[in-house]
Structure formats: structure tokens, C-alpha cells
Amino acid sequence: MELFYSCASTFYDDPQERVSAEAAILNSRLHYYSRLTGSSDRLLSPPNHVIPRPEEIYIYSPLGTAFKVTGSDPSSKNPSIITIFAIWNTMMGTSILSIPWGIKQAGFTLGILILIFTGLLMVYCCYIVLKSSKAIPYVDTSDWEFPDVCRYYFGKFGQWSSLVFSMVSLIGAMVVYWVLMSNFLYNTGQFIYNYAHNVNMSDSEFGTNGSDKVICPYPNTDPGVNNTISTVYFINSGNDTSDVSSFEHWWSKTNTIPFYLIILLLPLLCFRSASFFARFTFLGTISVIYLIVLVSVKAFRLGFHLEFHWFDTTEFFVPEFRLLFPQLTGVLTLAFFIHNCIITLMKSNKNQDNNVRDLSIAYLLVGLTYLYVGVLIFAAFPSPPLFKDCIEPNFLDNFPSSDVMVFVARTFLLFQMITVYPLLGYLVRVQMMGQIFGNHYPSFFHVLALNILIVGAGVLMAKFYPNIGSIIRFSGATCGLALVFVFPALVHMISLKRQGVLRWPSALFHSFLILLGLANLLAQFFM
């Protein structure tokens, strides 16, 4: 048995990083047993008294939410409603901010169809993953996760490739978080400064008037590119313009804010244990619920602005079918990604016979949430006077920093991400250091060097390419290729072949899934 799975979203909190000496001893014993045998040999498996307690087991989404796994005692199992909510909560991440942009890139009608089709494909691949461990004969797979299944079928290649793609999803998520934290910190500071100094944003041709102002930050934006030109204009209300210029110089979204975050977050990444930050993961649920409320209020106040032009772009509206649709499929691959922790999530379900039903309901709720946010933001975006191509990869950027409701949303998300970012860094550390050095904290300098590389990637992207839509779609398509399409399809076909029941329609369909995952990744480079 391995102490840490090589998946992006599941780990057992390292007992050596807890305060008690007894826990450190138990950890050493568990490492000793794990060196004696592989997970398929039960004779030398660790006894119960050296296995981490159930209250120490957590599951983490690649984008930060967490779910606590209960023990094996039937009385501690969760009913279906709790399991469904746990899957929804784990799957919800920052991808929700980019769904309206993805629908705009694909076209309104095609975007809705792709969202539904991708959701169906993802839930089917997730179903394959859920059933994969139970299809292995003569082996106790009760404590296996999908990376263990990959190791069973593909050996070391499956183990290391799952680690690599786990790193892609985790580090990609951390880069997205750094860009978003820079964005939210900038706008939060801008709101406080404007309020304190009585500075107002002036009306411009790139924004609407009224109490629910909507702006077009980059009016000359190419649909596939997010420029970093600021179009915020200020008027002086009793303050010297030099004060405003000085503030803008030291409070810049791309030039200074990404570096300010280093002072706060780099020390947090070096903590030996991330258990303190796990206590704040409930903020993820609150943030998503508040975003849904925010979207509902804005749509009610702005109304719907839709015109249907099937293939031709007009001055204010995009066609219903656009060739940029792979950008949406890349985002959705990560938005629906939960495949590498679904087995452990479902172990806590009280009635195991309902696993498939509960998984389907959870995906339905996630899909409806994405549809609700994406469709309402796209439909309510005021065109005219603005054109639909102004919808940003982070739809909150289409509201000015002076918007109070959006200010609250950004503040919530900022604090949530500050607490989640160290958890993601902890996952990267324990997986990478554990595989390379056999120790999750080999030394302070090893950890510091790794954290500097991770933080450096976030700073560079926040400064030179702060487009979370593109970052999400590339990382989603990359990790999805292996952990959503290729490995599940291959595992399913190999399992059926060994049972002698593989038929050509099944082989053809699952081979098509592999080609679809490959095409999804390659298409991202041509958008």
C-alpha cells in the first residue's frame, strides 16, 4: 500500500507532519511496510494499527475544494444526498468563471450543445473509472484508487504518467489561482482606494451607464487573445492627479500585484503541514453559492440581449456556431474533472448500489450549474451598446471595481484562494518529493526551490499572459487526455478483452474516445 496516491486530488495527510511523536512513529512503520511489497500482495500489507485514522483522510479537487472521507464503519457512511453534494462541491472550481467566455467562443447554441455533450462523455468516462477496480479478479482492490488501477495494467509507466498529468492539473490550477488572486487583489484595492479618496470611474464608450454598469476592458481584443491594456478612466474629485498616477504606478494588476503576493504566499507554501488551511475549504461552497446569487441578480436587472445569427458575425453579436469551439471543450474537460478521486469519494456512500445513480445526479447538478451561470451571463451581457466578444475569460472583469456586489464576490474568492493555494502546493510537494526522494519534506531548501519554481510560473503568467481561460483549457485538455480519455478507455477495453467479451462496437467507441481526447488537446494549439 502506498501512503500517497499519485493522483492530483487525493492524499492522506502525512502523519510525520503532525505534532505527536506517536504519529511520526506510525508513519515510519507504514513506510517500512510499503517498501516490503506491492499493493497487490496482501500478505505483507500494513496492519490496521499503522494505517492513518479515518479523520485524517481528505480528498482535494485540483481547483481547491475539499471533502472529508469518513471511516469504514457503516454507521459513519453518508447518505446519497451528502455524497451527491460532496461530488458537486469538489468539482466546482474557478472554471465556473470562464464558462460564459467559453460559450461565447463556441457560439451560444453550439456552446450549450457542447456543454451537454461534454458532460455526458465525462460522466461516462467517470463511470468507467468507478467500475475499473472492481473488474480486477483475484485481487483485493478495496483500498485502490485509479492510479493503482493504472499501475496494475500499465506498470511503472502508468504510475509515473499519472504523476506527470497530476502535476499538470495541480500546477495549472496554481497558476490560475495566482492570476485570479492578482486580479481580485487589484480590484479590491482599487475599490477601497476609490471609496477612500472619492474617485469615480467615468463613463466611457466601452461601458454602459446606470447602477449596474458593465464594461468592456479590452475593446479591441482578438477572440483568442487577452491583452493587458487598462481602459479604466478616472476623474478627479478633489484630489491631485499625481496621487492617482502614483497609486496606479504602485498598484498595477500586472506589474506589481503578482510580486506583492510572493511576500504573503511563499512563506505559507513552506509550511510542513497544510492541515490548518484545510479548515477554510468551506469557503469554496459559499463562494459558488454567492456567484449564483450574483449572476441571478445581474441577469434580472440587465435583462436578456440576444439575437441569433447562425454563421455570420454582426457588429454586436457572435454567430451561433464558431470554429473556436475547442476552447470551450478544453475548459469543460477541467470543469468536469473528478476522475482521479471518484473511487474514494464513492467509498463513503452508504448504499453502494446507488453509486452510478448518485454519480449521474451529481454530474447533472454540476452541468446545470455551469449552464445556469454561462447562459445567464452571456444572455444578459448588454449588446448593444457592447458587443458579445467583450465577455472576458473571468466574467467578473466585465464589472467595474466600484460594483459593491462584485467587490464582495472578489473578496470572498480572494480569501478562499489564499487558503487553498498552500493546499495545492502541499499536494505538489508530497507527490513530487515523495516519488523522487522518498520523503515528502527532504529539506527546507528542497521545498523552497520547488516553491520558487511554482510561484515563478504564476508570477510570469500573471504578468505576461493573464488569460485564465487559455490556462484552464490547456491544463484541462492535457490532464484530461490521460486521466479522462486514454487510461479509462484502455483499461475498459483491456478488462473486457481479458474477460473475452470485448466486441468491435465497444472497441470502436472507446478508440473514438481516445482520438477525441487527443484531438481536444491538439486543437488548443490552433486556437
Side-chain angles (χ1 to χ4, degrees):
M1 173 182 176
E2 294 291 332
L3 179 59
F4 283 90
Y5 293 124
S6 58
C7 72
S9 57
T10 305
F11 78 101
Y12 292 99
D13 196 7
D14 188 357
Q16 191 173 11
E17 297 186 8
R18 297 190 178 274
V19 295
S20 69
E22 178 184 2
I25 295 173
L26 293 182
N27 176 67
S28 300
R29 290 178 182 174
L30 183 57
H31 275 289
Y32 169 75
Y33 281 103
S34 67
R35 299 292 190 278
L36 293 179
T37 182
S39 58
S40 61
D41 186 352
R42 313 308 301 173
L43 296 178
L44 296 176
S45 60
N48 292 333
H49 66 276
V50 301
I51 297 177
R53 295 186 299 273
E55 62 269 19
E56 298 176 347
I57 303 175
Y58 281 85
I59 294 171
Y60 286 89
S61 159
L63 292 183
T65 54
F67 170 71
K68 187 173 183 179
V69 179
T70 57
S72 58
D73 182 4
S75 63
S76 65
K77 295 287 188 177
N78 295 321
S80 292
I81 186 65
I82 300 299
T83 302
I84 292 170
F85 176 76
I87 297 173
W88 176 87
N89 184 45
T90 305
M91 215 182 303
M92 285 288 111
T94 52
S95 300
I96 195 173
L97 299 174
S98 295
I99 297 297
W101 171 80
I103 291 178
K104 180 259 295 187
Q105 297 297 86
F108 185 62
T109 301
L110 183 58
I112 294 175
L113 295 176
I114 287 177
L115 196 154
I116 296 172
F117 177 72
T118 304
L120 292 174
L121 282 183
M122 296 288 283
V123 71
Y124 175 72
C125 293
C126 200
Y127 163 77
I128 294 176
V129 172
L130 185 61
K131 295 295 185 182
S132 61
S133 61
K134 297 179 181 179
I136 299 176
Y138 313 119
V139 178
D140 181 9
T141 60
S142 59
D143 60 349
W144 281 26
E145 252 289 351
F146 190 60
D148 296 305
V149 176
C150 293
R151 185 169 59 246
Y152 173 83
Y153 284 104
F154 309 112
K156 286 291 184 181
F157 171 78
Q159 177 182 357
W160 283 98
S161 60
S162 64
L163 173 66
V164 170
F165 287 104
S166 293
M167 293 299 100
V168 170
S169 64
L170 278 171
I171 295 177
M174 295 184 74
V175 171
V176 170
Y177 267 51
W178 200 275
V179 174
L180 286 174
M181 285 187 293
S182 300
N183 182 309
F184 296 150
L185 181 59
Y186 168 79
N187 283 286
T188 302
Q190 193 80 62
F191 177 90
I192 296 173
Y193 179 87
N194 292 349
Y195 181 81
H197 293 79
N198 196 25
V199 177
N200 298 313
M201 178 182 290
S202 66
D203 294 329
S204 73
E205 58 181 311
F206 305 124
T208 61
N209 297 321
S211 58
D212 288 283
K213 184 178 178 65
V214 179
I215 62 174
C216 185
Y218 313 108
N220 299 318
T221 298
D222 186 326
V225 178
N226 185 15
N227 301 311
T228 58
I229 303 174
S230 175
T231 62
V232 178
Y233 301 91
F234 295 97
I235 59 174
N236 189 357
S237 299
N239 296 291
D240 194 292
T241 55
S242 63
D243 295 336
V244 177
S245 300
S246 177
F247 175 76
E248 290 179 316
H249 175 74
W250 293 105
W251 196 257
S252 169
K253 185 188 298 184
T254 57
N255 294 328
T256 59
I257 299 296
F259 296 94
Y260 294 160
L261 287 172
I262 298 176
I263 302 173
L264 172 64
L265 293 174
L266 185 58
L268 298 181
L269 285 176
C270 296
F271 280 22
R272 293 183 64 92
S273 174
S275 58
F276 170 77
F277 303 103
R279 302 172 185 175
F280 297 95
T281 53
F282 70 92
L283 290 173
T285 303
I286 297 176
S287 299
V288 173
I289 294 175
Y290 184 81
L291 279 177
I292 294 174
V293 173
L294 171 67
V295 168
S296 303
V297 172
K298 292 296 182 182
F300 176 78
R301 292 178 177 176
L302 293 171
F304 286 171
H305 305 267
L306 290 173
E307 283 187 14
F308 294 92
H309 304 273
W310 297 107
F311 300 103
D312 299 325
T313 301
T314 64
E315 181 180 1
F316 297 107
F317 297 92
V318 297
E320 301 302 301
F321 299 90
R322 304 183 74 183
L323 295 179
L324 296 171
F325 69 88
Q327 296 187 358
L328 175 60
T329 62
V331 170
L332 291 175
T333 305
L334 190 60
F336 285 113
F337 183 68
I338 197 175
H339 298 63
N340 52 358
C341 68
I342 190 60
I343 295 177
T344 302
L345 272 172
M346 283 302 188
K347 286 177 183 177
S348 65
N349 203 10
K350 181 179 294 186
N351 191 342
Q352 292 294 303
D353 294 335
N354 294 337
N355 279 353
V356 176
R357 183 202 68 183
D358 296 344
L359 176 66
S360 303
I361 295 175
Y363 260 88
L364 175 63
L365 293 179
V366 171
L368 290 176
T369 304
Y370 288 149
L371 269 177
Y372 185 82
V373 172
V375 168
L376 281 190
I377 289 295
F378 182 92
F381 194 82
S383 300
L386 305 179
F387 39 94
K388 294 291 186 181
D389 253 333
C390 282
I391 298 176
E392 288 295 300
N394 171 10
F395 74 82
L396 294 180
D397 284 345
N398 288 117
F399 299 97
S401 57
S402 57
D403 191 306
V404 177
M405 288 192 68
V406 178
F407 165 75
V408 174
R410 286 169 173 149
T411 305
F412 260 121
L413 289 168
L414 175 61
F415 186 70
Q416 177 217 352
M417 291 178 182
I418 289 175
T419 59
V420 166
Y421 189 83
L423 291 174
L424 299 177
Y426 180 80
L427 289 174
V428 173
R429 182 210 312 167
V430 297
Q431 292 182 52
M432 187 173 295
M433 296 296 184
Q435 289 289 335
I436 298 175
F437 300 103
N439 187 342
H440 308 131
Y441 203 99
S443 74
F444 173 78
F445 295 103
H446 285 84
V447 173
L448 180 61
L450 174 64
N451 293 336
I452 289 175
L453 291 176
I454 296 173
V455 168
V459 170
L460 290 175
M461 294 301 290
K463 179 173 175 58
F464 296 107
Y465 193 71
N467 187 333
I468 66 165
S470 292
I471 302 171
I472 289 175
R473 66 185 177 92
F474 273 104
S475 59
T478 302
C479 70
L481 172 64
L483 301 177
V484 175
F485 295 104
V486 174
F487 282 162
L490 288 178
V491 163
H492 185 69
M493 288 191 290
I494 294 173
S495 175
L496 292 180
K497 183 176 178 59
R498 290 181 179 180
Q499 298 174 39
V501 294
L502 179 63
R503 301 293 182 263
W504 70 265
S506 177
L508 191 63
F509 174 73
H510 292 91
S511 299
F512 171 72
L513 286 181
I514 296 175
L515 294 177
L516 204 60
L518 181 62
N520 183 36
L521 176 59
L522 294 178
Q524 307 305 320
F525 294 94
F526 298 96
M527 295 295 107

